[in-house]
Amino acid sequence: EQKVAIVVSLGAEEEAAFGQWVDVTARDGACTSMAPLLRLASLSASTNPQLAQEVASWKAAPDKLWAQLQKPICDEVEAAVAAQVLEVCEHALSQLPPAEQLAPAAADADADVTGESPYTTRLRLAARVKLGERYALEACIGVWQRAAAAAAAGLA
């Protein structure tokens, strides 16, 4: 309840605390943009007693807490966040066709072929979108694998 209040006090709708959609692109900043909310969700008395107590007692200043959540809180929280993101990204990646299958479908139409059907054009464009999704998910997985390794090494 306190965590929802913090998110709302920062300007989000109350329903936002119950589900977030984050566009994943192949930039590190985009891949880690969901981390503050996931850190907040993983915050507990065992991971950071002082901060968890401030939140639980309604004494945490939302702006200061949000600033703290922009960077790793502790190795345990960062490992939990990394595991959660990796699981979701790996699942999403498993739902996409392999890049080897998409690449030929995404290739430009043969210059000798004229009058390509709109359906074929749409298939090519869809394959390109899926390749972009694969690329973004693979980049995000790389970012969070490094974060998981840093947390495991005590460097988060």
Side-chain angles (χ1 to χ4, degrees):
E1 189 176 309
Q2 295 91 340
K3 292 176 183 179
V4 172
I6 287 168
V7 173
V8 170
S9 72
L10 291 167
E13 296 294 324
E14 189 168 336
E15 296 80 28
F18 303 109
Q20 288 290 320
W21 180 265
V22 178
D23 285 330
V24 176
T25 61
R27 296 184 335 269
D28 286 3
C31 293
T32 58
S33 66
M34 74 284 288
L37 290 171
L38 296 175
R39 288 180 185 125
L40 179 61
S42 298
L43 183 64
S44 69
S46 65
T47 58
N48 190 317
Q50 180 183 353
L51 194 53
Q53 177 58 34
E54 287 179 25
V55 171
S57 65
W58 297 87
K59 293 181 181 175
D63 54 340
K64 290 180 183 176
L65 176 62
W66 190 248
Q68 284 181 286
L69 294 171
Q70 299 305 307
K71 56 188 184 298
I73 296 173
C74 67
D75 294 328
E76 186 179 344
V77 167
E78 208 62 11
V81 168
Q84 186 176 1
V85 174
L86 286 169
E87 179 182 345
V88 170
C89 287
E90 288 167 355
H91 175 73
L93 190 59
S94 75
Q95 303 301 304
L96 293 171
E100 296 79 19
Q101 179 183 339
L102 291 170
D108 284 332
D110 190 348
D112 296 335
V113 176
T114 57
E116 179 180 73
S117 75
Y119 177 74
T120 303
T121 301
R122 286 193 297 274
L123 286 177
R124 184 176 59 254
L125 295 175
R128 289 178 180 179
V129 168
K130 288 181 180 181
L131 276 173
E133 289 175 2
R134 285 194 67 82
Y135 180 69
L137 287 165
E138 289 167 350
C140 194
I141 287 169
V143 167
W144 285 101
Q145 284 174 335
R146 290 188 298 277
L155 304 173

